[in-house]
Structures are given as C-alpha cells and as structure tokens.
Amino acid sequence: MTQVDLQSYPVWDRPTRWFHWINFVCVVALAAIGTAILFDKELGVTDAGKTLLKTTHVLIGYVFAINLGWRIVWAFIGNRHANWSAILPFGKGYGTELKSYLRALIRGDANAYLGHNPVARLMVSALLALLVVQAATGLVLAGTDIYYPPFGYWIAGWIAAPGVDPSTIAPYSKTGVDPTAWEAMRSFRSPFVTVHYWTFYALLLMIALHIVGAIVTELREGGGIISAMFTGRKILSRKPQDAP
Ligand code: HEM
C-alpha cells in the first residue's frame, strides 16, 4: 500500500465563512420569494399577500446587502485567500496561470490550489458582480415600490403632490401623489426592474455552475474544498500552487 502525505492548511478565515453561509441562506430565500413575486397571479397571491412578500423580500434583502458590503470591505483587509488579489482574474501572471491550469485540467491532472484556482477566480468574480448588481437594483426597487430606505423617503418626496408630506404616501395608493411625477418615477424605475429580473436568471445559472464547479474540483483535485467552507481548512496530498 502506498503512503500519502496529507497536509492540512488554513484557507478560509472566519469572516469569509460567515459571509458565505449568510449569503447562501439570503440568496435562497430571496430567490424563492422573488419567484413567488414573479408568479403571484398564477399562485393566486392577494394584494395584501404581495405586499407582505415584497416587504419580507426587502427585509431579507437588507441582510443580504449588508453582508455583501461587509465582504467587499473584508476583501481589502482579510487574509490572503479572502483578498481581492486572490479573487479578481487580473494581476501579474494570471493569464499564464490560467493557461497552465486549463492544460493540466484537460490532461486530467489539475493543479491543486489553496484559494480559488484560476477558473474559479473568473466564476467568483462574476458571481460577486451579479450579487452587487442585484443588491443595488433591489435597493432602488425597495425605494420606488414600497418607499423603503435608503431611497424611499426621497422617492416619496419626488412623487408627492405639492403640500403633501412624503411620509403620508402609502405603497400602492395614489392618495397625495402627483400623477406626472408618478409617471416620471415609474419610467425611472423601469430599467432597474428589467436588470433585477434578468440578473435573477443570470444568478440562477451562475449558482448552478458554482455548485457543479465545486463538486468537479472536489472530485478531481480533492482537498475537501466543500467542507473547507465550514472548517476553514483544506487537506491536500500535493503541494498547492499558491502555497505560502
Ligand atoms: C440575490 C438577491 C436577490 C434575488 C435573487 C432577487 C430576486 C427577485 C425577483 C425574482 C423579483 C421579481 C422580479 C419582478 O417582479 O419582475 C424581485 C423583486 C423585487 N426585489 Fe429582489 N432579489 C434579490 C435582492 C433584492 C434586494 C437586496 C432587494 C432590496 C433590499 C430587493 C428588492 C426587490 C423588490 C422591491 C422587488 C419588487 C419589485 C417590483 O415588483 O417591482 N431584491 N427580486
């Protein structure tokens, strides 16, 4: 029997792991509620039910957006695997590394990495970009749909008829609303709805690729990459390319 030397390496720091799992729970909940908002008529949701769905979606959306904002900050101060330099698909030698990784992958002998491998960097960057777009458009929709923060008070002030206190304007009510300003606000909001809608589908696709990518990497390279997002450690039998 051949003996294999296994070595355990610290990889994902605690804040990165917390971000990952809070993000996972929020995205699953937001996608599920978003689907219910999208198919409200088919599901027979009442007007009151729709308002409840949207309010719940927005409240979970705040947790999601704050968690994402925190991860963006952490990418400047976290450990070297959590850092932008280990995430973004740029930087010195990235192109060469990607080519060598792909060549080895095709040979069936992919190089092991502690942090994201060069293909995963493309995937994770795309995922983060889509999450940022979804958070930003969602916050605008929260303001234009149910007048929730951070933009809600300003939006209500925009559509309020002269002399009307913006805080008295209720979602889905035309009382106190200036019809011209209302139309202008709906036109302003329309592209945000479109982007939020298509980013939702793009995210579903990227999430599926992310899960397949993690499973394929685990099978080909080993390292316990899935349990590493719980324990923070990877266990490898080969020296990783990005070893300290
Ligand atoms: C990964 C995160 C998210 C996903 C997957 C998601 C998904 C969706 C989907 C599928 C819809 C229905 C779209 C439509 O009716 O055309 C929707 C609507 C909405 N989302 Fe999100 N969303 C996310 C994040 C957020 C965030 C962070 C907020 C705000 C804090 C937000 C606020 C809204 C609002 C207000 C609506 C209702 C828009 C309307 O009916 O006009 N979403 N979302």
Side-chain angles (χ1 to χ4, degrees):
M1 209 164 70
T2 49
Q3 198 175 337
V4 181
D5 274 340
L6 293 177
Q7 192 163 344
S8 166
Y9 301 86
V11 180
W12 306 124
D13 51 25
R14 204 178 286 265
T16 303
R17 284 178 274 148
W18 273 100
F19 159 76
H20 182 273
W21 293 116
I22 293 173
N23 187 60
F24 167 80
V25 170
C26 289
V27 170
V28 168
L30 288 166
I33 301 174
T35 306
I37 297 173
L38 214 47
F39 297 101
D40 57 342
K41 287 192 187 66
E42 293 79 350
L43 293 169
V45 178
T46 59
D47 281 354
K50 199 168 173 177
T51 309
L52 181 65
L53 281 176
K54 287 184 177 186
T55 313
T56 313
H57 186 82
V58 168
L59 294 179
I60 300 172
Y62 288 146
V63 178
F64 159 77
I66 291 168
N67 189 48
L68 183 61
W70 159 245
R71 180 64 184 92
I72 288 168
V73 172
W74 191 247
F76 289 101
I77 53 181
N79 81 5
R80 66 190 191 95
H81 301 295
N83 205 273
W84 286 124
S85 58
I87 298 173
L88 298 177
F90 318 117
K92 207 164 137 257
Y94 174 74
T96 321
E97 232 185 308
L98 177 65
K99 272 187 234 143
S100 114
Y101 181 81
L102 288 174
R103 261 189 241 114
L105 190 69
I106 292 162
R107 278 202 312 271
D109 178 31
N111 304 328
Y113 276 82
L114 284 180
H116 301 300
N117 67 46
V119 174
R121 278 166 71 170
L122 285 171
M123 149 72 58
V124 172
S125 300
L127 253 178
L128 279 174
L130 289 173
L131 293 173
V132 168
V133 169
Q134 201 65 344
T137 52
L139 291 173
V140 173
L141 295 184
T144 55
D145 195 46
I146 51 175
Y147 314 126
Y148 265 41
F151 308 115
Y153 189 76
W154 176 72
I155 298 288
W158 178 11
I159 60 165
V164 172
D165 175 1
S167 62
T168 60
I169 300 210
Y172 309 113
S173 160
K174 293 281 171 68
T175 311
V177 170
D178 177 278
T180 315
W182 166 260
E183 287 306 327
M185 187 274 277
R186 299 298 288 184
S187 311
F188 163 79
R189 148 194 164 82
S190 175
F192 291 93
V193 177
T194 309
V195 173
H196 202 71
Y197 174 84
W198 286 109
T199 306
F200 164 63
Y201 287 111
L203 266 174
L204 292 187
L205 179 70
M206 292 304 281
I207 290 166
L209 286 176
H210 175 61
I211 294 169
V212 170
I215 294 172
V216 169
T217 309
E218 177 70 74
L219 293 175
R220 290 195 171 209
E221 297 169 32
I225 71 158
I226 296 167
S227 61
M229 206 33 99
F230 293 97
T231 62
R233 302 188 76 87
K234 284 189 186 175
I235 296 161
L236 295 170
S237 56
R238 289 178 292 163
K239 190 168 162 53
Q241 301 290 310
D242 53 348

